[in-house]
Amino acid sequence: MFAHNKALQYTVRVSETNPGLANLLLEQFGGPQGELAAAGRYFTQYLAEDDPGRRDMLIDIATEELSHLEVIGTLVCMLNKGAKGEVSEGVDQEGELYRKISGRGNDSHVTQVLYGAGAPLTNSGGVPWTAAYIDTIGDPTADLRSNIAAEARAKIIYERLINLTDDAGVKEALGFLMTREIAHQQSFEKALYSIQDNFPPGKLPGMPQFTQVYYDMSQGEGNARGPWNNDENFQVVSERSQQIGVDGAGGTFDVRLTSTEAKIAQQLMMRTRSAQVGDPITGAELGSDGTAPRSPQSAQPPKSGQQG
């Protein structure tokens, strides 16, 4: 059950109309790193979670993300407040009004006109929100790692937005939202490492002969070694000959077909194969000047029933 309190989680104070900034803030309203995506991600995880502790944490944070959606949406609408009346009432001459909502690097005119200076569920580029942003997969160790990364990405976006405004009230509200990303990331990390067997994700173990192998597939200037590929943690394989057919079977491929399947596959292969001799005239050559030299034999179509 959800209940709504009309007071925001954090006070919103906006000192002046700024449609361009409002448009950028939509990234955290209807974008892939935004609050709606976060709420949907954690809510879907909550529904399927059996562990009582993680279940409680997920619904707490999912609900808070909806509160953050309300804060960021309110910021968007307050930053658009002055422009909304001007667009709706047409108080300026047409050219002057367009200049005001699209000048000085302000690219908010699309959302101003299409959405009436509201808070549409789009990102800052006008791309509609999609459930594809929610990557819940139903395994707690995989989902928690995804949540940690999502909170980190959202924090970075908030940092960049803070750097784009000198409005003290907006900076303060954005700073609060950014800080909550840190808090959520800590909770998700604690929950992840509270699972004793948290790596690798899932149940099946890896193939032991490959789990501690590092293939040095890109060699040359810039090669570097670190804990991600040192000899203490990994068996480093640099020889090209040892990077192919690593199962010892030569790296070839084959499939077993029934006699009927094999016959039909052979027919298809023969019918669609390319001739390795000759030089057929192409449509591009005919369309250029029509003088491309070709031998008469190469221009002849194959006789019916012949293979090329």
Side-chain angles (χ1 to χ4, degrees):
M1 184 199 76
F2 287 91
H4 180 260
N5 188 314
K6 290 183 174 57
L8 297 174
Q9 188 182 20
Y10 197 87
T11 304
V12 172
R13 299 183 181 88
V14 175
S15 63
E16 63 179 356
T17 294
N18 190 336
L21 180 60
N23 203 66
L24 292 173
L25 293 189
L26 287 176
E27 195 64 34
Q28 289 303 91
F29 191 72
Q33 321 304 337
E35 303 295 353
L36 180 59
R41 181 182 296 112
Y42 309 148
F43 182 73
T44 54
Q45 292 173 21
Y46 149 78
L47 291 173
E49 182 57 72
D50 292 322
D51 181 86
R54 290 196 301 269
R55 182 178 172 86
D56 181 58
M57 174 194 67
L58 287 165
I59 191 58
D60 281 341
I61 296 179
T63 305
E64 186 180 356
E65 300 291 12
L66 291 175
S67 299
H68 295 174
L69 183 71
E70 187 177 27
V71 171
I72 197 75
T74 301
L75 279 168
V76 168
C77 290
M78 294 302 99
L79 287 165
N80 275 330
K81 197 75 170 180
K84 179 178 182 179
E86 293 175 341
V87 171
S88 299
E89 300 303 316
V91 296
D92 294 314
Q93 293 295 322
E94 289 86 346
E96 175 65 14
L97 181 57
Y98 181 76
R99 185 194 66 79
K100 289 172 68 173
I101 66 172
S102 64
R104 296 174 298 170
N106 176 5
D107 59 353
S108 70
H109 49 284
V110 174
T111 50
Q112 293 290 310
V113 173
L114 289 184
Y115 304 109
L121 284 173
T122 70
N123 69 1
S124 58
V127 178
W129 188 89
T130 169
Y133 295 154
I134 299 173
D135 55 4
T136 297
I137 200 170
D139 178 90
T141 63
D143 284 337
L144 286 169
R145 284 187 170 87
S146 178
N147 297 351
I148 292 165
E151 296 291 331
R153 291 192 297 268
K155 179 183 183 292
I156 297 300
I157 297 296
Y158 276 125
E159 284 189 12
R160 294 171 180 172
L161 290 171
I162 289 169
N163 291 335
L164 292 174
T165 180
D166 56 3
D167 188 315
V170 174
K171 290 176 81 77
E172 187 177 324
L174 293 177
F176 166 76
L177 295 173
M178 181 201 72
T179 303
R180 294 306 299 160
E181 309 295 346
I182 301 172
H184 295 167
Q185 183 173 345
Q186 291 185 93
S187 292
F188 290 136
E189 287 210 39
K190 292 292 186 181
L192 173 64
Y193 292 107
S194 295
I195 302 173
Q196 186 172 0
D197 297 322
N198 66 70
F199 187 84
K203 180 179 179 181
L204 295 177
M207 301 169 72
Q209 66 269 41
F210 301 121
T211 54
Q212 300 301 120
V213 175
Y214 183 93
Y215 291 109
D216 185 10
M217 305 291 277
S218 174
Q219 299 177 18
E221 185 178 356
N223 253 26
R225 300 294 291 272
W228 55 86
N229 66 354
N230 63 22
D231 294 322
E232 295 179 8
N233 297 324
F234 295 94
Q235 174 193 347
V236 179
V237 177
S238 299
E239 291 295 329
R240 295 294 190 215
S241 61
Q242 298 176 16
Q243 295 176 354
I244 58 176
V246 296
D247 58 338
T252 58
F253 56 91
D254 66 85
V255 59
R256 293 186 179 182
L257 302 176
T258 67
S259 58
T260 301
E261 290 173 332
K263 182 179 179 180
I264 295 173
Q266 179 70 12
Q267 288 177 351
L268 174 62
M269 182 184 69
M270 295 300 293
R271 182 172 61 81
T272 60
R273 68 177 181 171
S274 296
Q276 295 179 320
V277 296
D279 191 7
I281 296 176
T282 68
E285 291 167 322
L286 291 173
S288 56
D289 57 13
T291 62
R294 290 289 182 271
S295 64
Q297 181 179 0
S298 66
Q300 295 288 333
K303 293 181 180 179
S304 177
Q306 285 188 338
Q307 296 295 333

